[in-house]
């Protein structure tokens, strides 16, 4: 087993509360946090004030980046955008019954509506990101901002009981702690912390 100081800790952050989908003037990429979301982002900065953070990564979506900006700003570290941290694309078409389709995708990891990503494909994408980050950072602490469904799929790889109901229960924002010890990832016993 690796020594505790040679482990990599990843704070996996689900973004704070964004303006609602379909709000005029915003698309999926530029939907910002609401005033509550911004307050919660500041609260995350306060909660993690004494945590040493060596690097910050974010989805290209504005709401994810805004959630960790106060933490990065307080440490004068740049946030690197990683496109593969974007939310899982359920479908390229409008899905009036998107929750039912999403639930089905959790029950059948190979199911995907037209033009969308299956759970298996999206999970592989986020796990590849985690491996890339582990290759860059052998130890220390990094913070990653992403989205609820993608984060739940990452957690499912290490905790098979993570499912659709778990995804539904994740608050905005939420922080999950992953530990890389040697070649293995585990979810910290602390699990989830929120605002």
């Amino acid at each position: 087993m690796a020594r505790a100081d040679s482990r990599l800790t990843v704070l996996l952050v689900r973004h704070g509360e964004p303006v609602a989908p379909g709000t005029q003037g915003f698309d999926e990429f530029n939907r910002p946090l609401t005033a509550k979301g911004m307050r919660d982002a500041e609260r995350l900065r306060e909660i993690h004030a004494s945590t040493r953070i060596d690097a910050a990564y974010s989805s290209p979506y504005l709401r994810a980046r805004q959630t960790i900006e106060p933490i990065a700003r307080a440490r004068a570290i740049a946030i690197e955008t990683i496109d593969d941290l974007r939310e899982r694309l359920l479908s390229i078409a409008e899905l009036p019954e998107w929750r039912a389709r999403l639930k089905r995708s959790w029950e059948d990891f190979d199911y995907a509506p037209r033009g969308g990503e299956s759970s298996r494909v999206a999970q592989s994408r986020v796990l590849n990101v985690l491996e890339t980050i582990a290759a860059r950072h052998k130890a220390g602490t990094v913070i990653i901002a992403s989205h609820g469904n993608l984060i739940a799929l990452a957690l499912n790889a290490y905790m098979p009981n993570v499912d659709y109901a778990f995804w539904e229960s994740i608050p905005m924002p939420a922080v999950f702690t992953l530990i890389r010890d040697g070649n293995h990832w585990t979810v910290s016993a602390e699990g989830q912390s929120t605002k």
Side-chain angles (χ1 to χ4, degrees), residues 37 93 113 138 143 157 166 177:
K138 299 297 183 193
I143 191 165
F166 181 93
T177 304

Side-chain angles (χ1 to χ4, degrees), residues 4 33 41 46 56 62 74 78-79 122 127-128 132 134 175:
L33 295 178
E46 293 167 9
L62 180 61
I79 300 171
L127 295 180
N128 285 336
T132 298
V175 181

Side-chain angles (χ1 to χ4, degrees), residues 57-185:
Y57 298 93
S58 177
S59 155
Y61 294 8
L62 180 61
R63 59 193 179 272
R65 182 179 197 86
Q66 286 180 320
T67 301
I68 63 168
E69 278 179 344
I71 291 172
R73 191 172 42 251
R75 291 161 178 79
I77 58 175
I79 300 171
E80 182 179 335
T81 300
I82 298 180
D83 187 58
D84 280 347
L85 288 171
R86 69 193 178 278
E87 181 58 290
R88 177 245 193 104
L89 176 65
L90 190 58
S91 174
I92 58 172
E94 285 289 321
L95 291 177
E97 298 172 2
W98 69 270
R99 282 189 181 268
R101 302 289 182 94
L102 183 61
K103 186 174 183 182
R104 179 175 171 195
S105 76
W106 276 94
E107 295 164 353
D108 175 359
F109 261 49
D110 294 311
Y111 167 76
R114 185 175 65 86
E117 290 178 291
S118 68
S119 291
R120 192 170 317 283
V121 167
Q123 183 181 62
S124 177
R125 174 165 54 88
V126 70
L127 295 180
N128 285 336
V129 170
L130 290 173
E131 291 304 315
T132 298
I133 288 171
R136 290 182 189 177
H137 305 276
K138 299 297 183 193
T141 301
V142 301
I143 191 165
I144 298 174
S146 191
H147 307 272
N149 199 255
L150 197 68
I151 289 171
L153 288 167
L155 295 175
N156 170 270
Y158 313 116
M159 298 169 47
N161 61 326
V162 170
D163 59 8
Y164 175 83
F166 181 93
W167 164 77
E168 273 192 315
S169 73
I170 302 174
M172 289 186 267
V175 181
F176 296 91
T177 304
L178 299 179
I179 306 293
R180 173 74 171 216
D181 196 354
N183 290 324
H184 304 285
W185 288 100

